[in-house]
Structure formats: structure tokens, C-alpha cells
Amino acid sequence: GMEVLEPGAYTALAFAAFMAAVIRRSELRLAPPEDTTQRPFSLKRPKRIRMVELEDAIQEAREQRRTPLIVCNRKEEAVATYLSYQFMTTLDAKQVLMMSIEKEEGALEKAQAFLRKKLVSALKFGKPLYIRMATTALDFAGTFCVEDQFPCPLFSRE
């Protein structure tokens, strides 16, 4: 027959399974991708997914050394909420825009310093930088990118 475990052993077993899943997920997120030869994502043919497939699509893009661009089609709030619970540093483009157009002197420099702070935070803790554009279109290259704070090569495909 089946062996009966001591009291508390089932909890320990469940906890061990949970920790193994957490460790495996961390390894998948933090380990460098092994195979980068397949590249099914392209500018000519974006990949359409359902919300429940978002995490897998982000992981697939990461494994292929691609930067995911998520176009939400009226589901931006749901996607933003989901991503806010992930291991990411969130940069709200609307917040940056509002900082840059304040009436006080040095508003643009203040916004650029804010961008640097977010970038440094992402790099320091090894987190992806999630730029939430929402309904905002920032001119990163022309206005906000500064070599020693938030450099344009961040947006390079290389």
C-alpha cells in the first residue's frame, strides 16, 4: 500500500514543490537564453496572443533576445496591472511627460534624471525595464535620451 506520512509532511512536501517551481521560474527568467537561432517574431508579422499567453510570449521573446512590444488593443489597463506584479521596474511615460512640461526651471533635466533613476534601479536589481506608454508618445531619441543618463542605445536591437 501507500505509505502514510507523518503530520506536517504533506505541508513540507507542498512547500518543497512550491519552492522548486519558484526556483525553476527564477532560473528561466534570469539565466541567459541558450538557443537564439529561432526568430519567429518579426516587424512584418507580429505575434497575436490572448492575455493568458502574455507571460509565455514575453519569455519566448526573451529567449530569442528580442524586446517585446505589447500593443494592448483596449486591454492596456489589464496588461499594465499584470506587469506591475511582475519582477520589473516600471517607467510610466505619462509621468515623465508631465514632469518635463512643468513650469519650473529645469523640468526637462528633472525628467531625464528620473529616467536615469529608473534605469539604474532596473540594472542594479537585474530587472527588466517596462516602459508603460499607455496613451503617451514620448520623443525618447530627440528629447529624453542623454548619453550619461538614459542613452539612446537602450532602444537598439543590438
PDB file of all heavy atoms in Angstrom, residues 4-38:
ATOM      1  N   VAL A   4       1.853   6.244   4.676  1.00  0.00           N
ATOM      2  CA  VAL A   4       1.225   7.410   5.287  1.00  0.00           C
ATOM      3  C   VAL A   4       2.335   8.247   5.907  1.00  0.00           C
ATOM      4  O   VAL A   4       3.164   7.746   6.659  1.00  0.00           O
ATOM      5  CB  VAL A   4       0.191   6.998   6.364  1.00  0.00           C
ATOM      6  CG1 VAL A   4      -0.391   8.215   7.042  1.00  0.00           C
ATOM      7  CG2 VAL A   4      -0.900   6.141   5.746  1.00  0.00           C
ATOM      8  N   LEU A   5       2.360   9.505   5.554  1.00  0.00           N
ATOM      9  CA  LEU A   5       3.406  10.391   6.054  1.00  0.00           C
ATOM     10  C   LEU A   5       3.030  10.959   7.414  1.00  0.00           C
ATOM     11  O   LEU A   5       1.862  11.025   7.780  1.00  0.00           O
ATOM     12  CB  LEU A   5       3.635  11.531   5.058  1.00  0.00           C
ATOM     13  CG  LEU A   5       4.108  11.112   3.666  1.00  0.00           C
ATOM     14  CD1 LEU A   5       4.190  12.323   2.748  1.00  0.00           C
ATOM     15  CD2 LEU A   5       5.447  10.410   3.735  1.00  0.00           C
ATOM     16  N   GLU A   6       4.037  11.386   8.135  1.00  0.00           N
ATOM     17  CA  GLU A   6       3.842  11.996   9.454  1.00  0.00           C
ATOM     18  C   GLU A   6       3.083  13.320   9.308  1.00  0.00           C
ATOM     19  O   GLU A   6       3.147  13.957   8.260  1.00  0.00           O
ATOM     20  CB  GLU A   6       5.203  12.274  10.103  1.00  0.00           C
ATOM     21  CG  GLU A   6       6.005  11.037  10.415  1.00  0.00           C
ATOM     22  CD  GLU A   6       5.388  10.226  11.532  1.00  0.00           C
ATOM     23  OE1 GLU A   6       4.896  10.805  12.517  1.00  0.00           O
ATOM     24  OE2 GLU A   6       5.370   8.987  11.400  1.00  0.00           O
ATOM     25  N   PRO A   7       2.395  13.763  10.373  1.00  0.00           N
ATOM     26  CA  PRO A   7       1.727  15.060  10.313  1.00  0.00           C
ATOM     27  C   PRO A   7       2.737  16.161   9.986  1.00  0.00           C
ATOM     28  O   PRO A   7       3.844  16.177  10.505  1.00  0.00           O
ATOM     29  CB  PRO A   7       1.161  15.246  11.725  1.00  0.00           C
ATOM     30  CG  PRO A   7       1.041  13.862  12.269  1.00  0.00           C
ATOM     31  CD  PRO A   7       2.158  13.071  11.637  1.00  0.00           C
ATOM     32  N   GLY A   8       2.347  17.047   9.104  1.00  0.00           N
ATOM     33  CA  GLY A   8       3.227  18.137   8.688  1.00  0.00           C
ATOM     34  C   GLY A   8       4.050  17.797   7.458  1.00  0.00           C
ATOM     35  O   GLY A   8       4.587  18.679   6.803  1.00  0.00           O
ATOM     36  N   ALA A   9       4.160  16.511   7.139  1.00  0.00           N
ATOM     37  CA  ALA A   9       4.970  16.105   5.984  1.00  0.00           C
ATOM     38  C   ALA A   9       4.308  16.556   4.673  1.00  0.00           C
ATOM     39  O   ALA A   9       5.006  16.916   3.729  1.00  0.00           O
ATOM     40  CB  ALA A   9       5.184  14.602   5.989  1.00  0.00           C
ATOM     41  N   TYR A  10       2.975  16.535   4.625  1.00  0.00           N
ATOM     42  CA  TYR A  10       2.284  16.974   3.414  1.00  0.00           C
ATOM     43  C   TYR A  10       2.523  18.466   3.172  1.00  0.00           C
ATOM     44  O   TYR A  10       2.730  18.903   2.043  1.00  0.00           O
ATOM     45  CB  TYR A  10       0.786  16.680   3.505  1.00  0.00           C
ATOM     46  CG  TYR A  10       0.473  15.206   3.489  1.00  0.00           C
ATOM     47  CD1 TYR A  10       0.095  14.547   4.647  1.00  0.00           C
ATOM     48  CD2 TYR A  10       0.595  14.471   2.318  1.00  0.00           C
ATOM     49  CE1 TYR A  10      -0.160  13.188   4.654  1.00  0.00           C
ATOM     50  CE2 TYR A  10       0.334  13.117   2.299  1.00  0.00           C
ATOM     51  CZ  TYR A  10      -0.046  12.475   3.459  1.00  0.00           C
ATOM     52  OH  TYR A  10      -0.299  11.137   3.452  1.00  0.00           O
ATOM     53  N   THR A  11       2.529  19.234   4.253  1.00  0.00           N
ATOM     54  CA  THR A  11       2.808  20.669   4.136  1.00  0.00           C
ATOM     55  C   THR A  11       4.227  20.872   3.647  1.00  0.00           C
ATOM     56  O   THR A  11       4.476  21.691   2.759  1.00  0.00           O
ATOM     57  CB  THR A  11       2.613  21.362   5.504  1.00  0.00           C
ATOM     58  OG1 THR A  11       1.270  21.126   5.959  1.00  0.00           O
ATOM     59  CG2 THR A  11       2.873  22.855   5.404  1.00  0.00           C
ATOM     60  N   ALA A  12       5.159  20.133   4.199  1.00  0.00           N
ATOM     61  CA  ALA A  12       6.556  20.246   3.783  1.00  0.00           C
ATOM     62  C   ALA A  12       6.722  19.839   2.326  1.00  0.00           C
ATOM     63  O   ALA A  12       7.445  20.480   1.564  1.00  0.00           O
ATOM     64  CB  ALA A  12       7.452  19.392   4.681  1.00  0.00           C
ATOM     65  N   LEU A  13       6.025  18.783   1.911  1.00  0.00           N
ATOM     66  CA  LEU A  13       6.089  18.325   0.531  1.00  0.00           C
ATOM     67  C   LEU A  13       5.519  19.387  -0.414  1.00  0.00           C
ATOM     68  O   LEU A  13       6.109  19.691  -1.449  1.00  0.00           O
ATOM     69  CB  LEU A  13       5.331  17.008   0.381  1.00  0.00           C
ATOM     70  CG  LEU A  13       5.387  16.343  -0.978  1.00  0.00           C
ATOM     71  CD1 LEU A  13       6.833  15.990  -1.333  1.00  0.00           C
ATOM     72  CD2 LEU A  13       4.526  15.087  -0.988  1.00  0.00           C
ATOM     73  N   ALA A  14       4.376  19.967  -0.043  1.00  0.00           N
ATOM     74  CA  ALA A  14       3.775  21.022  -0.860  1.00  0.00           C
ATOM     75  C   ALA A  14       4.695  22.237  -0.926  1.00  0.00           C
ATOM     76  O   ALA A  14       4.880  22.838  -1.987  1.00  0.00           O
ATOM     77  CB  ALA A  14       2.412  21.417  -0.299  1.00  0.00           C
ATOM     78  N   PHE A  15       5.304  22.590   0.200  1.00  0.00           N
ATOM     79  CA  PHE A  15       6.214  23.731   0.234  1.00  0.00           C
ATOM     80  C   PHE A  15       7.444  23.460  -0.633  1.00  0.00           C
ATOM     81  O   PHE A  15       7.914  24.329  -1.359  1.00  0.00           O
ATOM     82  CB  PHE A  15       6.621  24.063   1.666  1.00  0.00           C
ATOM     83  CG  PHE A  15       7.496  25.275   1.764  1.00  0.00           C
ATOM     84  CD1 PHE A  15       6.972  26.543   1.539  1.00  0.00           C
ATOM     85  CD2 PHE A  15       8.840  25.155   2.060  1.00  0.00           C
ATOM     86  CE1 PHE A  15       7.777  27.667   1.608  1.00  0.00           C
ATOM     87  CE2 PHE A  15       9.655  26.279   2.136  1.00  0.00           C
ATOM     88  CZ  PHE A  15       9.117  27.536   1.904  1.00  0.00           C
ATOM     89  N   ALA A  16       7.968  22.241  -0.579  1.00  0.00           N
ATOM     90  CA  ALA A  16       9.130  21.873  -1.394  1.00  0.00           C
ATOM     91  C   ALA A  16       8.791  21.961  -2.881  1.00  0.00           C
ATOM     92  O   ALA A  16       9.592  22.461  -3.682  1.00  0.00           O
ATOM     93  CB  ALA A  16       9.612  20.471  -1.032  1.00  0.00           C
ATOM     94  N   ALA A  17       7.598  21.515  -3.267  1.00  0.00           N
ATOM     95  CA  ALA A  17       7.173  21.602  -4.671  1.00  0.00           C
ATOM     96  C   ALA A  17       7.030  23.062  -5.086  1.00  0.00           C
ATOM     97  O   ALA A  17       7.441  23.450  -6.188  1.00  0.00           O
ATOM     98  CB  ALA A  17       5.855  20.862  -4.874  1.00  0.00           C
ATOM     99  N   PHE A  18       6.484  23.863  -4.204  1.00  0.00           N
ATOM    100  CA  PHE A  18       6.324  25.291  -4.478  1.00  0.00           C
ATOM    101  C   PHE A  18       7.694  25.947  -4.669  1.00  0.00           C
ATOM    102  O   PHE A  18       7.927  26.695  -5.615  1.00  0.00           O
ATOM    103  CB  PHE A  18       5.559  25.968  -3.347  1.00  0.00           C
ATOM    104  CG  PHE A  18       5.545  27.468  -3.434  1.00  0.00           C
ATOM    105  CD1 PHE A  18       4.755  28.112  -4.372  1.00  0.00           C
ATOM    106  CD2 PHE A  18       6.335  28.231  -2.593  1.00  0.00           C
ATOM    107  CE1 PHE A  18       4.748  29.490  -4.470  1.00  0.00           C
ATOM    108  CE2 PHE A  18       6.336  29.609  -2.675  1.00  0.00           C
ATOM    109  CZ  PHE A  18       5.531  30.246  -3.618  1.00  0.00           C
ATOM    110  N   MET A  19       8.625  25.676  -3.760  1.00  0.00           N
ATOM    111  CA  MET A  19       9.963  26.275  -3.851  1.00  0.00           C
ATOM    112  C   MET A  19      10.688  25.814  -5.112  1.00  0.00           C
ATOM    113  O   MET A  19      11.384  26.607  -5.757  1.00  0.00           O
ATOM    114  CB  MET A  19      10.792  25.944  -2.605  1.00  0.00           C
ATOM    115  CG  MET A  19      10.354  26.691  -1.361  1.00  0.00           C
ATOM    116  SD  MET A  19      10.277  28.485  -1.578  1.00  0.00           S
ATOM    117  CE  MET A  19      11.974  28.872  -1.936  1.00  0.00           C
ATOM    118  N   ALA A  20      10.522  24.560  -5.490  1.00  0.00           N
ATOM    119  CA  ALA A  20      11.148  24.066  -6.722  1.00  0.00           C
ATOM    120  C   ALA A  20      10.603  24.824  -7.927  1.00  0.00           C
ATOM    121  O   ALA A  20      11.357  25.186  -8.833  1.00  0.00           O
ATOM    122  CB  ALA A  20      10.906  22.564  -6.872  1.00  0.00           C
ATOM    123  N   ALA A  21       9.297  25.095  -7.939  1.00  0.00           N
ATOM    124  CA  ALA A  21       8.688  25.862  -9.034  1.00  0.00           C
ATOM    125  C   ALA A  21       9.197  27.300  -9.054  1.00  0.00           C
ATOM    126  O   ALA A  21       9.484  27.856 -10.112  1.00  0.00           O
ATOM    127  CB  ALA A  21       7.168  25.835  -8.916  1.00  0.00           C
ATOM    128  N   VAL A  22       9.321  27.920  -7.885  1.00  0.00           N
ATOM    129  CA  VAL A  22       9.832  29.292  -7.791  1.00  0.00           C
ATOM    130  C   VAL A  22      11.272  29.351  -8.293  1.00  0.00           C
ATOM    131  O   VAL A  22      11.640  30.237  -9.069  1.00  0.00           O
ATOM    132  CB  VAL A  22       9.730  29.827  -6.343  1.00  0.00           C
ATOM    133  CG1 VAL A  22      10.516  31.114  -6.179  1.00  0.00           C
ATOM    134  CG2 VAL A  22       8.281  30.029  -5.961  1.00  0.00           C
ATOM    135  N   ILE A  23      12.090  28.409  -7.877  1.00  0.00           N
ATOM    136  CA  ILE A  23      13.492  28.383  -8.302  1.00  0.00           C
ATOM    137  C   ILE A  23      13.584  28.166  -9.810  1.00  0.00           C
ATOM    138  O   ILE A  23      14.336  28.856 -10.502  1.00  0.00           O
ATOM    139  CB  ILE A  23      14.274  27.301  -7.524  1.00  0.00           C
ATOM    140  CG1 ILE A  23      14.418  27.734  -6.062  1.00  0.00           C
ATOM    141  CG2 ILE A  23      15.641  27.041  -8.164  1.00  0.00           C
ATOM    142  CD1 ILE A  23      14.897  26.628  -5.141  1.00  0.00           C
ATOM    143  N   ARG A  24      12.809  27.250 -10.334  1.00  0.00           N
ATOM    144  CA  ARG A  24      12.829  26.978 -11.782  1.00  0.00           C
ATOM    145  C   ARG A  24      12.392  28.209 -12.567  1.00  0.00           C
ATOM    146  O   ARG A  24      13.003  28.575 -13.559  1.00  0.00           O
ATOM    147  CB  ARG A  24      11.916  25.787 -12.112  1.00  0.00           C
ATOM    148  CG  ARG A  24      11.811  25.497 -13.579  1.00  0.00           C
ATOM    149  CD  ARG A  24      13.137  24.983 -14.136  1.00  0.00           C
ATOM    150  NE  ARG A  24      12.979  24.747 -15.557  1.00  0.00           N
ATOM    151  CZ  ARG A  24      13.875  25.087 -16.454  1.00  0.00           C
ATOM    152  NH1 ARG A  24      15.006  25.622 -16.088  1.00  0.00           N
ATOM    153  NH2 ARG A  24      13.660  24.861 -17.719  1.00  0.00           N
ATOM    154  N   ARG A  25      11.362  28.877 -12.098  1.00  0.00           N
ATOM    155  CA  ARG A  25      10.881  30.078 -12.785  1.00  0.00           C
ATOM    156  C   ARG A  25      11.936  31.175 -12.741  1.00  0.00           C
ATOM    157  O   ARG A  25      12.155  31.868 -13.723  1.00  0.00           O
ATOM    158  CB  ARG A  25       9.587  30.554 -12.160  1.00  0.00           C
ATOM    159  CG  ARG A  25       9.033  31.744 -12.862  1.00  0.00           C
ATOM    160  CD  ARG A  25       7.622  31.950 -12.495  1.00  0.00           C
ATOM    161  NE  ARG A  25       7.222  33.192 -13.104  1.00  0.00           N
ATOM    162  CZ  ARG A  25       6.005  33.527 -13.340  1.00  0.00           C
ATOM    163  NH1 ARG A  25       5.058  32.703 -13.025  1.00  0.00           N
ATOM    164  NH2 ARG A  25       5.709  34.657 -13.885  1.00  0.00           N
ATOM    165  N   SER A  26      12.617  31.324 -11.611  1.00  0.00           N
ATOM    166  CA  SER A  26      13.689  32.311 -11.498  1.00  0.00           C
ATOM    167  C   SER A  26      14.834  31.971 -12.443  1.00  0.00           C
ATOM    168  O   SER A  26      15.399  32.855 -13.079  1.00  0.00           O
ATOM    169  CB  SER A  26      14.203  32.394 -10.064  1.00  0.00           C
ATOM    170  OG  SER A  26      13.200  32.871  -9.218  1.00  0.00           O
ATOM    171  N   GLU A  27      15.173  30.707 -12.532  1.00  0.00           N
ATOM    172  CA  GLU A  27      16.231  30.294 -13.453  1.00  0.00           C
ATOM    173  C   GLU A  27      15.858  30.632 -14.890  1.00  0.00           C
ATOM    174  O   GLU A  27      16.690  31.113 -15.654  1.00  0.00           O
ATOM    175  CB  GLU A  27      16.488  28.792 -13.334  1.00  0.00           C
ATOM    176  CG  GLU A  27      17.208  28.392 -12.071  1.00  0.00           C
ATOM    177  CD  GLU A  27      17.278  26.887 -11.885  1.00  0.00           C
ATOM    178  OE1 GLU A  27      16.551  26.141 -12.586  1.00  0.00           O
ATOM    179  OE2 GLU A  27      18.051  26.445 -11.023  1.00  0.00           O
ATOM    180  N   LEU A  28      14.600  30.383 -15.262  1.00  0.00           N
ATOM    181  CA  LEU A  28      14.152  30.686 -16.621  1.00  0.00           C
ATOM    182  C   LEU A  28      14.216  32.178 -16.909  1.00  0.00           C
ATOM    183  O   LEU A  28      14.570  32.600 -18.005  1.00  0.00           O
ATOM    184  CB  LEU A  28      12.719  30.179 -16.850  1.00  0.00           C
ATOM    185  CG  LEU A  28      12.556  28.673 -16.941  1.00  0.00           C
ATOM    186  CD1 LEU A  28      11.081  28.306 -16.995  1.00  0.00           C
ATOM    187  CD2 LEU A  28      13.291  28.135 -18.160  1.00  0.00           C
ATOM    188  N   ARG A  29      13.863  32.993 -15.916  1.00  0.00           N
ATOM    189  CA  ARG A  29      13.854  34.439 -16.119  1.00  0.00           C
ATOM    190  C   ARG A  29      15.253  35.041 -16.113  1.00  0.00           C
ATOM    191  O   ARG A  29      15.526  35.992 -16.823  1.00  0.00           O
ATOM    192  CB  ARG A  29      13.039  35.129 -15.031  1.00  0.00           C
ATOM    193  CG  ARG A  29      11.573  34.962 -15.213  1.00  0.00           C
ATOM    194  CD  ARG A  29      10.850  35.644 -14.060  1.00  0.00           C
ATOM    195  NE  ARG A  29       9.439  35.531 -14.263  1.00  0.00           N
ATOM    196  CZ  ARG A  29       8.673  36.533 -14.635  1.00  0.00           C
ATOM    197  NH1 ARG A  29       9.163  37.716 -14.804  1.00  0.00           N
ATOM    198  NH2 ARG A  29       7.390  36.361 -14.818  1.00  0.00           N
ATOM    199  N   LEU A  30      16.143  34.523 -15.276  1.00  0.00           N
ATOM    200  CA  LEU A  30      17.429  35.168 -15.070  1.00  0.00           C
ATOM    201  C   LEU A  30      18.575  34.544 -15.855  1.00  0.00           C
ATOM    202  O   LEU A  30      19.587  35.198 -16.073  1.00  0.00           O
ATOM    203  CB  LEU A  30      17.772  35.180 -13.582  1.00  0.00           C
ATOM    204  CG  LEU A  30      16.763  35.903 -12.691  1.00  0.00           C
ATOM    205  CD1 LEU A  30      17.137  35.747 -11.230  1.00  0.00           C
ATOM    206  CD2 LEU A  30      16.668  37.368 -13.063  1.00  0.00           C
ATOM    207  N   ALA A  31      18.428  33.305 -16.256  1.00  0.00           N
ATOM    208  CA  ALA A  31      19.514  32.645 -16.982  1.00  0.00           C
ATOM    209  C   ALA A  31      19.596  33.177 -18.405  1.00  0.00           C
ATOM    210  O   ALA A  31      18.583  33.510 -19.009  1.00  0.00           O
ATOM    211  CB  ALA A  31      19.263  31.134 -17.008  1.00  0.00           C
ATOM    212  N   PRO A  32      20.805  33.260 -18.950  1.00  0.00           N
ATOM    213  CA  PRO A  32      20.907  33.698 -20.344  1.00  0.00           C
ATOM    214  C   PRO A  32      20.261  32.667 -21.265  1.00  0.00           C
ATOM    215  O   PRO A  32      20.320  31.466 -20.980  1.00  0.00           O
ATOM    216  CB  PRO A  32      22.412  33.791 -20.588  1.00  0.00           C
ATOM    217  CG  PRO A  32      23.059  33.051 -19.484  1.00  0.00           C
ATOM    218  CD  PRO A  32      22.085  32.978 -18.355  1.00  0.00           C
ATOM    219  N   PRO A  33      19.634  33.120 -22.320  1.00  0.00           N
ATOM    220  CA  PRO A  33      18.983  32.174 -23.229  1.00  0.00           C
ATOM    221  C   PRO A  33      20.012  31.252 -23.888  1.00  0.00           C
ATOM    222  O   PRO A  33      21.115  31.682 -24.204  1.00  0.00           O
ATOM    223  CB  PRO A  33      18.291  33.063 -24.261  1.00  0.00           C
ATOM    224  CG  PRO A  33      18.845  34.418 -24.072  1.00  0.00           C
ATOM    225  CD  PRO A  33      19.473  34.491 -22.724  1.00  0.00           C
ATOM    226  N   GLU A  34      19.640  29.997 -24.054  1.00  0.00           N
ATOM    227  CA  GLU A  34      20.569  29.020 -24.607  1.00  0.00           C
ATOM    228  C   GLU A  34      20.563  29.035 -26.133  1.00  0.00           C
ATOM    229  O   GLU A  34      21.595  29.025 -26.759  1.00  0.00           O
ATOM    230  CB  GLU A  34      20.215  27.623 -24.097  1.00  0.00           C
ATOM    231  CG  GLU A  34      20.431  27.491 -22.594  1.00  0.00           C
ATOM    232  CD  GLU A  34      19.946  26.172 -22.054  1.00  0.00           C
ATOM    233  OE1 GLU A  34      19.730  25.236 -22.840  1.00  0.00           O
ATOM    234  OE2 GLU A  34      19.778  26.079 -20.836  1.00  0.00           O
ATOM    235  N   ASP A  35      19.390  29.037 -26.754  1.00  0.00           N
ATOM    236  CA  ASP A  35      19.297  28.950 -28.205  1.00  0.00           C
ATOM    237  C   ASP A  35      18.673  30.233 -28.743  1.00  0.00           C
ATOM    238  O   ASP A  35      17.536  30.543 -28.432  1.00  0.00           O
ATOM    239  CB  ASP A  35      18.461  27.739 -28.605  1.00  0.00           C
ATOM    240  CG  ASP A  35      18.330  27.618 -30.114  1.00  0.00           C
ATOM    241  OD1 ASP A  35      19.177  28.149 -30.850  1.00  0.00           O
ATOM    242  OD2 ASP A  35      17.366  26.989 -30.567  1.00  0.00           O
ATOM    243  N   THR A  36      19.420  30.947 -29.572  1.00  0.00           N
ATOM    244  CA  THR A  36      18.892  32.201 -30.119  1.00  0.00           C
ATOM    245  C   THR A  36      18.746  32.124 -31.635  1.00  0.00           C
ATOM    246  O   THR A  36      18.649  33.142 -32.296  1.00  0.00           O
ATOM    247  CB  THR A  36      19.821  33.379 -29.750  1.00  0.00           C
ATOM    248  OG1 THR A  36      21.114  33.118 -30.286  1.00  0.00           O
ATOM    249  CG2 THR A  36      19.897  33.575 -28.249  1.00  0.00           C
ATOM    250  N   THR A  37      18.717  30.924 -32.185  1.00  0.00           N
ATOM    251  CA  THR A  37      18.661  30.795 -33.635  1.00  0.00           C
ATOM    252  C   THR A  37      17.252  30.979 -34.184  1.00  0.00           C
ATOM    253  O   THR A  37      17.085  31.484 -35.273  1.00  0.00           O
ATOM    254  CB  THR A  37      19.211  29.433 -34.087  1.00  0.00           C
ATOM    255  OG1 THR A  37      18.485  28.402 -33.413  1.00  0.00           O
ATOM    256  CG2 THR A  37      20.680  29.311 -33.748  1.00  0.00           C
ATOM    257  N   GLN A  38      16.227  30.568 -33.453  1.00  0.00           N
ATOM    258  CA  GLN A  38      14.857  30.726 -33.943  1.00  0.00           C
ATOM    259  C   GLN A  38      14.386  32.145 -33.692  1.00  0.00           C
ATOM    260  O   GLN A  38      14.574  32.684 -32.621  1.00  0.00           O
ATOM    261  CB  GLN A  38      13.911  29.755 -33.234  1.00  0.00           C
ATOM    262  CG  GLN A  38      14.171  28.319 -33.554  1.00  0.00           C
ATOM    263  CD  GLN A  38      13.169  27.438 -32.844  1.00  0.00           C
ATOM    264  OE1 GLN A  38      12.787  27.701 -31.714  1.00  0.00           O
ATOM    265  NE2 GLN A  38      12.727  26.402 -33.520  1.00  0.00           N
TER     266      GLN A  38
END
